[in-house]
Amino acid sequence: MAPNTRIRLIPLLLLCMSGASLAETMPALQVAPELLRGPVGVAPTSPAVAPAATRPAALAESVAKPAAVSPPPPRQAPAPADVPALVPVAMPPTSPLPGAAEQPVTTAKTSPAGAVPAVPLAPGETAVSALRIHGERGIELVAEGEAELQRDDTRLTADKVTYRELTDEVVAEGNVVLSSGGDTIRGPQATLVVGDRVGTFASPRYELSRARPPALAGDAPRTVAGSGEAETLALEGENHYRLANATWTTCSPADPDWYIKARDLELDYDREVGTARDGSIVFMDTPIFWMPWAEFPLNGQRQSGLLPPTFGSSNKTGVDFTQPYYWNIAPNYDATLTSRIMTRRGLQIGGELRYLDEDYQGTTRLEWTPNDKVSGEDRRLGSIQHQQRFAPNFYGTLDLNAVSDDAYFEDLSSSIGVASRVNLLREGRLIYTGGWWTASALAQRYQTLNPDPDVRNVEPYRRLPQLQLSAVRADLGGGLSGLLETEFVRFAHRERDRDEASRFVAHPQLALPMQGASWFVTPKAGIHHTRYDIDRSPVSSHSSTDVTRSVPILSLDSGLLLEREARFFGGDYLQTLEPRLFYLHVPSRDQKDIPLFDTNRFDVGFAQIFAENRYSGSDRIGDANDLTAAVTTRFIDAESGVERLRALIGQRYYFSDQKVYLYNEDELRTAGTGNEILAGLGGRVSSTVNVDSYVQYNTETSRTERLNASVRYQPGFARTLNLSYRYAPNLRIDEDVVGLEDIDVSGQWPLARNWYGVGRVTHSLKDDRITEAVAGIEYDGGCWVFRTAVHRFAIDENDVTNAIFVQLELNDLAGIGSNPLSLIRRSVPGYGKINDSSADRVFGAE
């Protein structure tokens, strides 16, 4: 063998002998470029390279940009003797001009772990690396063996990659993986135009992820990932994919419990909308819903299309099926159209329009049942809510509600909150704020429903109109603050046996607030002046039509705020002591000639015992000469700031007999006694237990007039038990004493793996009957949740409604069936939603 021949073989023999152990100890090789006889584009393995003028002409023409070259990882087999191992080749985004000046070519040593350092690329630059590379730069480059092509954030790997630089086209074969951002597509073969993001994949499996913005303020952003497989996948530009005979799901890609299966599937991540043609929803390998054409959300966003139907059952409607269609008119306008079929009632058509703008927002809702099979009548509902800002300080609201008959909600709703509605509000309001003063105008009336012919509900008075002006100034001089409240209102009623009137009210007040770091004293004086112009009804027992009343009101409010550091049960606490004294003097005025237009009695509580009037509205000003004393103490965890315990006790002492009453004289209190004692105890007594209680005790009758007590045990998420008791034997609704005593038990608890039970029972001890009961179960399937609930409620003893809810919620897609979540959340305090989903397509959140 000739000496020159031996010299040429030395570097190739060293490359064949390279391995993980040798790579760690051997220095980088320095090889003269003229010794390499490989395909074009192969870079030498030396960091120090001869100038371009000394290189072979073929090599100088094919390399126009620097390429980073590294030895192979330990797992790679030695390359053939005529090709250096693992050659990354860097190319500019456009073809090089002939004769362009070359830059030095560098090589990097493999790390001990065998990883190849990433190629530093300029924006738009392309890097190709593989175990073997051959071809000609500017025409076609073939990379084989762990081949990789990278440009910006796009990375393509395969067993073989053919890159045609003139057309920017890549043909990849064998174990093809394309990744870009949060998207990954895998398949046996792919063709791709890299810059245009167009191409095709054969038999692909894909995972496409996008960040979903928070649905509600304060929520954390989350990622919604869709995955599936297809016969073919076409890339139609950035964020656009079209698939044939494909599936899509948010479940684990390996074994999805549910998926959309479609002959033609389009995924548009610019609009965040998927479109399925000739498709179906498959759950547990069983098609449950056929969709000839449907759009669905890819990221929990709103879009037009058929929504999954809802269905349920109740004894009032029979089997209840609703098919909604959602119309995303504009980013700030949308509508939902519904067709509802009730086996007992017939067809109902409905719709809801929502709109939102910088200066206004609102909702309009309509329902129409052309021919109720039970009543034989057309039944209708209409509702309009609108808020408008006419100027920076000028606002208006409109709230109109109407139904066709008294029993509409009772017959057609399965919610106790809706079925028990009696007064439907109809009002328009204008408000102007001038900084320290505010003016408003109101026109208001109600539609009062009487679903029970044996019980007559009285319609509230209409206010046509009500004009109010109020002003607050805290800088009157001398430390004084002032408050002025004025009102003019015209009360009207549709029934002829009711008095009507115009009422004017002026209530000026002056206060002198004084306070220090741990104390406050506020003397206050005011006069409540009222004038009535009354139109007496034919059956009225009073003849006066012009009534004037002026009542001075004096009060003195004072209190202390004391605190100390304390240690109890091995923990450090900040204990507060907050005593408060409130004296009120209001002389008695004869007010029997004044009808009751908008006045009722407040419930006695800790807020009310420090109020100046025990009645709402202005038709009665309660006389007073009494002193309220109360003290509050709190135990606050010094480390976490959690209020562990709160205890309150207060009593009102009467210096004079009360003379002003609303309905009956039994409301009055006598002098020389401290009738009401109010006490409360509550707080988070441990990490798992919360308690709250309130009691009102009458020392004159030695009877408890009100008692509320509740305890919640919540050791963890979706684990909560609640127990509450309510007692109010003298509870009034207007003139009637109805009384109340009931016990309420509710909770949510795991039953078995992924199974949860929810329930609530409210039992009236006064009537010895169950007034409301809810029972349900939930199953968390990871990417889906099944819920079912049964609801029974009784508006009265002879009017009972039973309803059943069944829902299958497919995470980040849709909820199929009637949704019991609002019912469960209202019924079970502390309820934890067991899945995090944006399945509500209309509103984007539950």
Side-chain angles (χ1 to χ4, degrees), residues 590-743:
D590 185 3
Q591 304 171 53
K592 295 179 182 178
D593 285 349
I594 301 176
L596 298 178
F597 297 113
D598 63 353
T599 292
N600 215 325
R601 183 181 177 90
F602 284 122
D603 288 336
V604 177
F606 279 100
Q608 192 275 329
I609 62 174
F610 296 104
E612 295 179 350
N613 192 8
R614 57 182 179 269
Y615 303 112
S616 64
S618 298
D619 299 320
R620 290 292 183 273
I621 304 298
D623 57 327
N625 183 20
D626 48 53
L627 177 68
T628 299
V631 63
T632 302
T633 184
R634 309 173 196 268
F635 293 86
I636 302 172
D637 191 304
E639 182 177 348
S640 64
V642 173
E643 185 180 85
R644 293 297 183 186
L645 189 66
R646 176 187 65 259
L648 311 89
I649 188 168
Q651 185 174 18
R652 178 178 286 172
Y653 186 86
Y654 299 93
F655 298 104
S656 303
D657 294 343
Q658 291 183 344
K659 299 178 181 180
V660 179
Y661 61 89
L662 201 62
Y663 299 113
N664 300 290
E665 292 187 2
D666 60 2
E667 304 171 19
L668 302 176
R669 303 304 190 201
T670 58
T673 61
N675 291 92
E676 289 102 357
I677 294 179
L678 283 70
L681 181 68
R684 188 175 180 180
V685 297
S686 73
S687 60
T688 59
V689 178
N690 288 270
V691 298
D692 195 16
S693 62
Y694 166 78
V695 62
Q696 177 187 339
Y697 182 76
N698 190 317
T699 59
E700 185 177 10
T701 61
S702 299
R703 295 183 59 182
T704 299
E705 295 190 347
R706 180 159 297 192
L707 172 62
N708 295 337
S710 65
V711 59
R712 177 188 300 176
Y713 174 64
Q714 193 167 16
F717 177 76
R719 297 170 181 261
T720 183
L721 298 174
N722 304 285
L723 175 64
S724 66
Y725 172 76
R726 298 186 301 171
Y727 175 71
N730 300 316
L731 180 67
R732 291 179 180 270
I733 297 180
D734 294 330
E735 301 181 36
D736 302 321
V737 178
V738 296
L740 171 70
E741 185 179 12
D742 63 29
I743 188 169

Side-chain angles (χ1 to χ4, degrees), residues 38 51 64 106 229 366 480 495 519 610 660 723 731 747 795:
T106 61
E229 55 188 34
L366 299 172
L480 290 172
E495 298 181 8
W519 61 274
F610 296 104
V660 179
L723 175 64
L731 180 67
I795 297 177

